[in-house]
Amino acid sequence: SQQGEEDPQALSIQEGENATMNCSYKTSINNLQWYRQNSGRGLVHLILIRSNEREKHSGRLRVTLDTSKKSSSLLITASRAADTASYFCAGTSGSRLTFGEGTQLTVNP
Amino acid sequence: EAGVAQSPRYKIIEKRQSVAFWCNPISGHATLYWYQQILGQGPKLLIQFQNNGVVDDSQLPKDRFSAERLKGVDSTLKIQPAKLEDSAVYLCASSYNSGTEETQYFGPGTRLLVL
């Protein structure tokens, strides 16, 4: 079964707005990663947050992790039309990545 | 550096036929993964290789799926015979090693349609 559930399943915003996606997972993890997938393409790694970290930034990305609630969020600030893609969280246990169902983000110009 | 290469990009077959997918990982990457991604879902790990040895194949339907990585570089994934529910994108990924913080690099995938 999939590790995580993501919320919302789909999100549509205007360019310049912020986008927040949430992820919940079921079992203990070593770290949590976020990946992006453009339509018809492979996944691209965005950011990794360790289980002992609470927040991490990378450019316009901000990730939080709450291990007590087994949840994570990905915030994309000042969104661009090029951010349109599916975003997946993935929990790492050992070397195995277990992906959530993903959030489809559409950024309208 | 060149990315993960996969072929073919698309394949349409009849149910009960056989199909094979090929993957060439990033040079120097010891770990190779095959994932199945059904439409609207996240990828699901099928099998993980470390060099030419299998690390994890617990989610591989072994009655019809097989994979090999004979020389520790390229890999092939085979389905024989295919079922309708095998329609999905098959993604290959590689990483330098198999640690918990390794970044996996994904290929573009092979989109399989079973009729």
Side-chain angles (χ1 to χ4, degrees):
Chain A
S1 62
Q2 296 294 104
Q3 168 75 284
E5 297 177 359
E6 289 174 74
D7 167 48
Q9 288 187 326
L11 179 61
S12 182
I13 59 174
Q14 294 299 121
E15 208 165 23
E17 293 180 341
N18 296 341
T20 300
M21 289 161 270
N22 302 297
C23 163
S24 61
Y25 57 92
K26 299 173 184 174
T27 60
S28 62
I29 57 172
N30 300 111
N31 58 57
L32 190 132
Q33 304 184 35
W34 284 88
Y35 282 78
R36 161 196 169 127
Q37 184 177 36
N38 287 80
S39 180
R41 309 286 288 275
L43 283 80
V44 175
H45 180 261
L46 294 176
I47 192 167
L48 177 152
I49 184 165
R50 297 185 180 93
S51 59
N52 62 354
E53 296 177 314
R54 293 295 168 258
E55 187 171 314
K56 198 162 184 179
H57 296 253
S58 177
R60 294 185 296 114
L61 305 180
R62 172 176 164 255
V63 171
T64 63
L65 180 63
D66 187 335
T67 53
S68 66
K69 295 181 180 178
K70 290 187 166 59
S71 67
S72 174
S73 68
L74 171 68
L75 168 67
I76 304 174
T77 59
S79 64
R80 305 166 182 168
D83 294 329
T84 294
S86 292
Y87 292 81
F88 295 90
C89 69
T92 304
S93 180
S95 60
R96 179 194 283 196
L97 278 181
T98 306
F99 286 86
E101 299 292 316
T103 293
Q104 171 61 49
L105 172 66
T106 302
V107 181
N108 302 298
Chain B
E1 97 190 325
V4 176
Q6 290 188 248
S7 68
R9 290 297 309 277
Y10 305 92
K11 191 75 177 177
I12 301 174
I13 61 172
E14 301 276 337
K15 61 183 179 184
R16 291 187 290 273
Q17 285 187 323
S18 301
V19 64
F21 313 125
W22 173 82
C23 172
N24 180 236
I26 293 173
S27 177
H29 280 195
T31 310
L32 185 147
Y33 313 81
W34 282 102
Y35 289 87
Q36 180 193 59
Q37 185 176 23
I38 293 172
L39 186 65
Q41 298 183 18
K44 183 184 84 171
L45 179 70
L46 293 175
I47 190 167
Q48 176 184 340
F49 291 95
Q50 180 73 14
N51 296 309
N52 61 349
V54 175
V55 173
D56 184 352
D57 65 355
S58 58
Q59 300 187 108
L60 186 74
K62 299 179 186 64
D63 57 332
R64 298 184 301 105
F65 286 65
S66 64
E68 59 184 15
R69 192 185 185 200
L70 291 175
K71 297 183 179 179
V73 180
D74 294 5
S75 176
T76 56
L77 175 70
K78 297 179 182 177
I79 308 175
Q80 181 178 14
K83 292 185 176 180
L84 297 177
E85 59 261 36
D86 298 331
S87 294
V89 176
Y90 291 84
L91 295 164
C92 179
S94 69
S95 62
Y96 182 71
N97 216 320
S98 60
T100 59
E101 296 192 4
E102 289 289 333
T103 295
Q104 294 187 22
Y105 296 85
F106 284 79
T110 295
R111 189 174 297 271
L112 173 68
L113 179 60
V114 182
L115 302 175

